[in-house]
Amino acid sequence: MMANKTFVIGRSGDICIEDESISYKHAVLQLRDNEIYLRDLGSTYGTYLVKNNRPIRFYEGYVQLNQVVMFGNITCLINSLLEQVDQAPFTFNSINCA
């Protein structure tokens, strides 16, 4: 994992997710000393952690590699996002995000 990098997730970000439920700058994913920090940027449709198949509103905090998250209506695994960050900007869609 890369250390101390920041990536904007959104329709207009380092990690681009093309969906109308995604804000242009939806969230920030930061790699901090081998930990992963996720922060919602006040997005319209929100950021959620999925636990026990239920979305739980998430504003900011540390997440795990295998964590399932929702950005608006799009469900992703954190590790799926991180597998592509060395190619940022990278565009996700509902097919390759989950």
Side-chain angles (χ1 to χ4, degrees), residues 59-77:
Y59 295 97
E60 67 179 292
Y62 288 96
V63 294
Q64 300 296 313
L65 266 177
N66 61 350
Q67 179 64 57
V68 178
V69 295
M70 290 179 65
F71 301 105
N73 295 326
I74 301 298
T75 302
C76 297
L77 285 169

Side-chain angles (χ1 to χ4, degrees), residues 2-92:
M2 293 181 281
N4 302 322
K5 298 256 183 180
T6 299
F7 300 94
V8 175
I9 300 167
R11 283 191 281 167
S12 174
D14 303 307
I15 299 171
C16 183
I17 302 174
E18 294 180 344
D19 187 86
E20 290 183 7
S21 69
I22 306 296
S23 297
Y24 283 96
K25 293 188 178 182
H26 196 100
V28 170
L29 184 69
Q30 295 177 306
L31 305 179
R32 300 177 173 177
D33 299 319
N34 291 322
E35 292 189 289
I36 306 161
Y37 192 82
L38 179 64
R39 179 169 50 99
D40 184 87
L41 295 175
S43 62
T44 302
Y45 292 100
T47 300
Y48 298 83
L49 297 184
V50 178
K51 295 188 177 187
N52 299 319
N53 295 317
R54 298 185 64 201
I56 299 169
R57 187 73 161 101
F58 186 77
Y59 295 97
E60 67 179 292
Y62 288 96
V63 294
Q64 300 296 313
L65 266 177
N66 61 350
Q67 179 64 57
V68 178
V69 295
M70 290 179 65
F71 301 105
N73 295 326
I74 301 298
T75 302
C76 297
L77 285 169
I78 291 294
N79 61 351
S80 294
L81 296 174
L82 290 176
E83 286 174 359
Q84 302 300 329
V85 293
D86 61 337
Q87 299 174 30
F90 182 85
T91 300
F92 281 89

